Amino acid sequence: MAQYDVLAIGNAIVDVLAACDDDFISEQNLSKGSMQLVDQSQADTLYNAMGERREISGGSAANTLAGLAQLGQKCAFIGQVADDALGESFARDIKEAGIDFDCTKRGEDPATARCLIFVTPDAQRTMNTFLGAAQYLPPAAIDKDIIEASKILYLEGYLWDPAEPRAAMRRAIDYARGAGNRVALTLSDAFVIDRYRDDFNALLDEGLIDILFANEVEICALAQNDDFDSSIDSVAPKVEILVVTRGENGAIAVKDNSRTTIAAQKIENLVDTTGAGDLFAAGFLSGLSQNKTMQESLLIGSICAAEIISHYGARPEADIAAMVQEALS
């Protein structure tokens, strides 16, 4: 029997969030609503420019697991932290969330990764990520037995950028495919796709990805087609399940040439869109692991995403399991 419902490989990051206005974004020469990579010096400068801030363990795949764990799924995480205060904080937080995490820490240099997130009044988040230790996840960290004991291997597209973790994820894919387990990939961001479009398309063309998560911008970037429906039509046949989120326009899942759509959940107050896609993936994978229909899985995903965007941070604050149970009853 499988030991885990979902095992994820991703960036072990601590999110640092602060509210700001549009003038601050302009003054710092940031691209509003985007994610950019920064070096240690840039990270320090932006950190010092922040006003009141909150530190919350994050990382895209880790956020997804946090949602899955709250929904009752058995989860494990593979990621790299440094032997420093933020590394200790990340390890403590993820374990307290009920997620198995056994990491050999690196030294103090480079430091544990952090994502500096500036949230404007319209709830858009501008992310500045220092990858630090996360980009040095070695292939040796991939435990074959654990990969084989996990129903779904979930890969974070952001982590495809550095060479060492890219090799680690390729090894994990081989182990998962060898065991007949599903492999899921989240594309993460258009900038990642622009850099590694050929790699991602090769994975799809070789049939190595079963479940693909993207948003509307990302699926068009992957297909290199500005038309949304045409992009869906070109990518969907390459995977078992394609899931595309569309913000306020809901989401769509495609399986066996059949499209299933769902409207976005209504919320009282949009606060921060950080982690919306991560938690949508959590809800959808939770439904999938319980053999729910595509419609039910999309509903669970939309409920989880709506909860996240109602407050700061990318970890649930409300009882999402109770919310899902009420919606499905």
Side-chain angles (χ1 to χ4, degrees):
M1 295 182 62
Q3 182 177 357
Y4 299 109
D5 294 301
V6 180
L7 180 145
I9 302 176
N11 282 309
I13 294 179
V14 177
D15 290 339
V16 185
L17 298 98
C20 73
D21 55 25
D22 288 337
D23 288 341
F24 178 90
I25 297 296
S26 298
E27 291 166 2
Q28 298 296 326
N29 295 316
L30 304 178
S31 178
K32 183 179 175 179
S34 69
M35 198 288 283
Q36 68 169 347
L37 297 178
V38 297
D39 59 24
Q40 179 75 66
S41 176
Q42 292 171 301
D44 290 342
T45 298
L46 288 171
Y47 183 84
N48 292 331
M50 282 180 149
E52 184 177 350
R53 52 188 176 252
R54 295 176 60 192
E55 294 185 358
I56 309 169
S57 293
S60 176
N63 292 335
T64 296
L65 291 186
L68 278 160
Q70 285 201 28
L71 292 169
Q73 308 306 300
K74 295 179 293 183
C75 303
F77 179 73
I78 296 175
Q80 185 66 60
V81 297
D83 188 10
D84 56 17
L86 285 182
E88 186 64 32
S89 175
F90 180 90
R92 180 181 64 252
D93 287 352
I94 200 165
K95 291 176 182 177
E96 288 178 352
I99 301 162
D100 284 354
F101 176 60
D102 184 14
C103 166
T104 300
K105 296 177 181 177
R106 290 176 57 88
E108 296 182 356
D109 186 22
T112 294
R114 74 286 312 267
C115 183
L116 309 176
I117 304 172
F118 298 96
V119 185
T120 43
D122 59 0
Q124 284 294 310
R125 76 279 188 274
T126 302
M127 300 185 293
N128 305 272
T129 304
F130 169 59
L131 290 174
Q135 62 186 325
Y136 295 100
L137 177 72
I142 305 303
D143 187 312
K144 184 174 184 286
D145 292 337
I146 293 178
I147 299 295
E148 291 179 343
S150 304
K151 294 178 184 178
I152 297 174
L153 170 66
Y154 182 77
L155 304 174
E156 179 183 322
Y158 283 132
L159 198 58
W160 198 262
D161 196 57
E164 197 167 4
R166 185 162 65 248
M169 288 195 286
R170 286 305 302 249
R171 177 176 293 187
I173 291 172
D174 290 343
Y175 290 157
R177 302 303 303 187
N181 298 333
R182 280 168 157 166
V183 178
L185 169 68
T186 176
L187 291 175
S188 294
D189 197 281
F191 98 90
V192 180
I193 298 168
D194 289 341
R195 288 166 64 89
Y196 297 102
R197 182 180 292 104
D198 290 346
D199 281 9
F200 291 149
N201 278 321
L203 292 174
L204 299 178
D205 291 339
E206 293 170 25
L208 299 179
I209 305 299
D210 301 291
I211 307 161
L212 182 66
F213 290 93
N215 63 27
E216 192 166 3
V217 172
E218 292 159 3
I219 199 66
C220 290
L222 182 67
Q224 292 186 285
N225 190 327
D226 291 335
D227 184 77
F228 176 72
D229 288 319
S230 296
S231 297
I232 291 285
D233 289 340
S234 67
V235 176
K238 300 179 181 181
V239 293
E240 177 191 351
I241 301 171
L242 172 64
V243 181
V244 183
T245 56
R246 308 187 71 185
E248 62 183 13
N249 294 317
I252 179 174
V254 184
K255 181 180 181 182
D256 297 329
N257 295 318
S258 177
R259 293 192 182 196
T260 305
T261 61
I262 192 166
Q265 295 286 304
K266 294 181 179 180
I267 62 170
E268 293 183 2
N269 189 24
L270 176 62
V271 176
D272 173 19
T273 57
T274 305
D278 303 336
L279 268 292
F280 193 101
F284 187 89
L285 289 174
S286 174
L288 192 65
S289 69
Q290 299 175 74
N291 297 314
K292 302 291 187 183
T293 66
M294 288 293 100
Q295 190 70 50
E296 291 171 327
S297 297
L298 285 173
L299 174 60
I300 300 171
S302 66
I303 290 170
C304 294
E307 192 281 336
I308 284 298
I309 64 177
S310 299
H311 59 78
Y312 284 113
R315 300 288 173 90
E317 293 182 355
D319 187 345
I320 55 175
M323 295 167 66
V324 167
Q325 184 176 9
E326 180 180 357
L328 293 179
S329 61

